[in-house]
Amino acid sequence: MKKLSILFFVLLAGSTVFSQKMITRSGEIKFDATVPGAMDEVIGTNKTVSAIFDKSTGEIVVLGLVKSFKFKSPLMEEHFNENYMESDKLPKTNFKGKLLNYDGKAGNYDVEGDLTIHGVTNKIKAKVAITNDGDKVTVSGTFSIKLSDYKLEVPALAKKTLAETAKIALKLSLENK
């Protein structure tokens, strides 16, 4: 019985020590659908993004609430939530994927997985940079999406200010769970 108890505590301690899951609840996603040369910027920033990153497998899950995107103009924020993203009906956006060939070291990696926006899921592949700073890991990257791929239509009246392609920038500072 004593040996069994010791084995249980060794396994429990080992799983805690070797846990490779990292987490944040204060990640940042920036959505930029500004038409080049337009006077008005269409940029929303969400600084309350949650993410879990497993350093041992390279798997990553990111979740953002649509209503948490903040814009310069309250009217733009209202249009974003009510007219385009329908955030009352579709309140979340998420990504579930994996860093390819991730070896636990800092560097640039491809990440691929499923991105869900506006209730539509598409496979994407993008580049991310990983930096290690002691007990923290930062995942950052930028990629573009076509709004129509996520059933987000740009009305004719908005085509001068709202691009049909949006640039998404991601920055996640993760810590051990």
Side-chain angles (χ1 to χ4, degrees):
M1 183 67 163
K2 187 176 179 182
K3 288 182 182 180
L4 186 60
S5 296
I6 291 171
L7 179 62
F8 173 75
F9 284 112
V10 167
L11 290 174
L12 180 64
S15 69
T16 303
V17 170
F18 295 110
S19 174
Q20 298 292 310
K21 296 213 187 229
M22 307 197 74
I23 190 167
T24 186
R25 288 187 178 87
S26 59
E28 180 178 299
I29 295 176
K30 188 176 282 189
F31 171 90
D32 183 351
T34 304
V35 171
M39 292 186 64
D40 292 326
E41 291 182 335
V42 181
I43 299 174
T45 304
N46 182 341
K47 294 184 179 185
T48 60
V49 175
S50 296
I52 297 174
F53 175 56
D54 188 329
K55 285 175 41 176
S56 64
T57 64
E59 293 177 342
I60 187 165
V61 177
V62 182
L63 173 69
L65 296 177
V66 176
K67 283 191 176 183
S68 295
F69 281 90
K70 301 299 174 203
F71 292 78
K72 280 185 186 178
S73 159
L75 182 60
M76 193 176 293
E77 193 170 311
E78 182 180 325
H79 285 300
F80 177 80
N81 281 298
E82 293 178 10
N83 299 344
Y84 302 110
M85 296 296 287
E86 300 176 277
S87 58
D88 285 335
K89 188 168 70 173
L90 303 161
K92 298 176 186 174
T93 183
N94 65 64
F95 173 79
K96 183 176 182 180
K98 184 173 182 173
L99 277 70
L100 304 179
N101 302 313
Y102 180 65
D103 58 8
K105 298 177 184 172
N108 296 316
Y109 296 91
D110 288 325
V111 63
E112 83 181 4
D114 295 325
L115 177 64
T116 302
I117 299 174
H118 195 237
V120 177
T121 302
N122 288 304
K123 293 218 175 284
I124 66 161
K125 186 173 183 179
K127 297 235 182 254
V128 294
I130 304 291
T131 56
N132 295 324
D133 184 20
D135 291 341
K136 292 184 181 182
V137 170
T138 300
V139 178
S140 58
T142 303
F143 59 95
S144 295
I145 61 164
K146 290 177 77 175
L147 299 182
S148 61
D149 288 347
Y150 295 91
K151 295 185 182 174
L152 297 167
E153 301 303 322
V154 178
L157 291 173
K159 287 191 187 261
K160 290 184 180 179
T161 55
L162 182 62
E164 294 187 20
T165 300
K167 184 167 58 170
I168 310 291
L170 172 73
K171 184 172 182 184
L172 306 168
S173 294
L174 302 127
E175 297 181 24
N176 285 328
K177 185 173 162 185

